[in-house]
Amino acid sequence: MEMMPLKSDAGWVKTPGPATEPTFRLLIEKPEALSVHADEIERLADESLDANPFYLPAFLGPAIRAFGNGEVELALFYAGTRLVFFAPILCAPFRRGALRMAQIWSHNYGPLGVPLLDRARGHAVARALFADLADAGIELLMLSDTPVLCDTWISLRRAAEGRVHTIFREERPILTAEPDALQEFEAGISSQRRKDIGRLRRRLEEEGPVEFSTATGAALPPALDDFLALEAAGWKGRRGTAILTHAGRRFAEDAILALGARDAARIERLTVGGKLAASSITLVSGSLLIPWKIAFDESFSRFSPGVQLILRNTRLWLSDPAIARIDPVSNTADARLLTHYWHHSEPYEAAVLEVTPSATRARLARSAEHGRWLLRQQARAVRDRLQGRFRRN
C-alpha cells in the first residue's frame, strides 16, 4: 500500500467559480519555499481562528531542519493573493496501498497540530479546502495533537460532514484566564500544600537571596545558554531527552531566538544567591501562552525550585490581561507536574477525516495509527518505569 505523494512546483490551481468567489489555489511546496510565503504566514497567524507558534516560520524552519527527515512539505491555500490556510504536512509514502492521505505534522518539540485557518472565513475556507484536496486526489486528512474544542478543529470536522475517525483522545492540563481564574487557582492549592511550599521557600531563602526574573530581548541569548546547560545537567540529560542531547543547540538557538526577536519567546529564571536554581521557556502567540520547557538545578531539589517557579509564573500569567489561554500542549513529565496545581484540563485528540467518503480506507488508516499510538504508549510506560528505578538507585 503506497500513498502517492502530492507534488507541485507551481501549485495546483482550481478553476475559478462565479466572479464573486475568489480564485483558490492549493499549493504543496518544499520547505525551501517557507521564506517565500513567510510574510503571508505571519499575517495569517495574526488573523487565524486559533494560534499556533510552532507554525510560525521562525520556529517551523528550524524544526523541519531538525526533525523533518526530508518528509515535510508545506500546504498553502490561497484565496486570491491572501493565504487563508497553512500547515506543514507529511506526504511521504505510508506503504498502505493506493491510499492518498495527507497528515498535518506535529512533533515532540511542537506538539500542537492546529493549522492556521482564516478567522473571518473559517468554515467557508475549510469547505473550499476539502473540495480542492478532493480534486487533487487526496482522500483523507489526518491531524494529531489537536484540542477538541478549538474553533479550527470544529471547522474542519464540519467540512468533513461528520466523517471523522478518532484514533485516540487524552486530557491535557490547561488554564483559561477567566475573571476569577487567579482566585480559583489560589483556592485550588490545599492548606497543607501551601504550608509545605512556604516552608520550602523559607529554607531556600536561607541558602541565599531568592530572585525571580524574566529574560527578553538582549537578555534572551545568555538566558537560553543557561537554560540549555541546566537542562542537560539534570535527569533529562541523563535520559537523553534534553534539548542539547536530542534536538541540538542549533535548533534551540535558531527557533527560540527567532521567536524572541518577535516577542514570542521569554525565559523565566529563579536564582538563589546569584546561582540559577530553575528556569523555564515560555512561548506566546496572540492570547495563547505555552509553558514550553522547564529545568532545575538538582542540588536545590529538596527545595522544589521548579514548583516555586511554576507557581510564580502561573500567578503572573493569570494576571496578564493579554493572555486568554495557558496551555502546555503536551502530556509530558513537565506538563504532568502542573496537574498538582492546575485543576482544569481539555481533551486533545488525533483523528482521520474523510475528505471524500472513504469509510473503509479511513478505518484502515485509523486502526494502523491507533496501533502505532499504543506501541508508543507502551514504550513510554516502560521508559518511565526504568527511569524511576534509575532515580531510586
Side-chain angles (χ1 to χ4, degrees):
M1 296 174 59
E2 180 175 273
M3 185 197 73
M4 300 301 293
L6 176 62
K7 305 288 184 181
S8 174
D9 295 327
W12 184 83
V13 181
K14 184 179 181 181
T15 303
T20 56
E21 293 184 6
T23 300
F24 288 108
R25 292 184 298 149
L26 174 60
L27 308 180
I28 307 296
E29 302 209 354
K30 293 293 185 181
E32 291 75 19
L34 188 62
S35 60
V36 176
H37 302 275
D39 289 345
E40 273 298 295
I41 296 171
E42 293 273 359
R43 180 199 57 74
L44 177 60
D46 292 334
E47 301 174 5
S48 60
L49 274 174
D50 296 285
N52 190 342
F54 303 122
Y55 290 171
L56 292 171
F59 190 98
L60 181 60
I64 290 176
R65 289 193 293 271
F67 316 118
N69 298 318
E71 298 176 347
V72 179
E73 297 179 285
L74 310 177
L76 307 110
F77 194 49
Y78 277 86
T81 59
R82 289 177 64 84
L83 186 66
V84 290
F85 173 93
F86 171 71
I89 62 171
L90 297 176
C91 275
F94 278 23
R95 300 295 176 187
R96 295 177 192 157
L99 178 64
R100 293 172 66 88
M101 179 170 74
Q103 177 182 349
I104 293 181
W105 185 58
S106 60
H107 53 92
N108 289 340
Y109 286 87
L112 183 61
V114 180
L116 302 180
L117 180 64
D118 183 76
R119 183 189 305 139
R121 297 176 289 176
H123 296 322
V125 169
R127 288 194 301 270
L129 172 67
F130 270 50
D132 282 26
L133 287 171
D135 286 346
I138 298 297
E139 299 172 302
L140 305 173
L141 179 65
M142 178 178 163
L143 288 84
S144 56
D145 296 310
T146 307
V148 173
L149 303 179
C150 77
D151 291 331
T152 302
W153 185 225
I154 292 170
S155 292
L156 293 174
R157 290 176 71 100
R158 184 178 297 180
E161 298 179 350
R163 300 187 301 268
V164 179
H165 304 261
T166 299
I167 299 168
F168 69 89
R169 181 176 288 195
E170 66 180 6
E171 294 288 321
R172 296 184 182 181
I174 66 108
L175 287 177
T176 54
E178 306 294 339
D180 59 348
L182 181 57
Q183 292 82 355
E184 186 177 346
F185 165 72
E186 297 289 1
I189 303 175
S190 69
S191 58
Q192 183 59 54
R193 182 157 292 187
R194 192 179 296 276
K195 289 179 183 178
D196 291 342
I197 293 168
R199 175 176 53 81
L200 293 174
R201 171 65 182 268
R202 291 189 294 273
R203 288 179 55 195
L204 185 61
E205 290 172 342
E206 294 173 1
E207 301 291 312
V210 174
E211 296 183 359
F212 294 96
S213 62
T214 300
T216 59
L220 198 62
L224 178 60
D225 286 340
D226 290 345
F227 176 90
L228 295 174
L230 187 67
E231 186 189 51
W235 64 269
K236 293 181 185 178
R238 293 192 296 275
R239 194 161 75 177
T241 59
I243 294 175
L244 280 182
T245 55
H246 184 255
R249 178 178 296 276
R250 180 181 176 186
F251 162 72
E253 291 179 343
D254 288 352
I256 302 306
L257 297 184
L259 287 178
R262 67 189 308 278
D263 297 324
R266 62 186 71 156
I267 297 179
E268 298 88 359
R269 296 162 54 87
L270 164 59
T271 58
V272 180
K275 184 178 181 181
L276 185 64
S279 182
S280 59
I281 301 177
T282 299
L283 310 181
V284 181
S285 182
S287 61
L288 170 66
L289 183 144
I290 297 177
W292 189 56
K293 295 290 178 182
I294 189 167
F296 64 91
D297 185 336
E298 293 181 350
S299 68
F300 289 102
S301 61
R302 63 191 182 279
F303 308 114
S304 298
V307 171
Q308 303 286 348
L309 185 60
I310 285 171
L311 295 178
R312 176 261 189 182
N313 288 349
T314 301
R315 292 179 175 115
L316 281 181
W317 298 333
L318 290 176
S319 301
D320 186 344
I323 300 302
R325 181 181 176 90
I326 305 167
D327 187 350
V329 301
S330 70
N331 198 26
T332 61
D334 286 353
R336 290 194 292 273
L337 176 63
L338 300 174
T339 60
H340 297 296
Y341 306 96
W342 295 11
H343 302 293
H344 293 279
S345 65
E346 283 188 6
Y348 270 65
E349 72 178 2
V352 175
L353 286 69
E354 296 180 35
V355 174
T356 59
S358 312
T360 300
R361 293 177 182 274
R363 284 193 291 268
L364 288 172
R366 178 211 173 274
S367 296
E369 291 301 326
H370 187 259
R372 291 154 68 99
W373 176 76
L374 287 176
L375 288 174
R376 288 195 297 270
Q377 294 297 101
Q378 292 168 1
R380 186 167 71 177
V382 170
R383 181 198 64 195
D384 289 347
R385 284 197 297 270
L386 291 175
Q387 183 65 27
R389 188 175 301 172
F390 175 79
R391 288 178 182 174
R392 287 193 296 272
N393 293 337

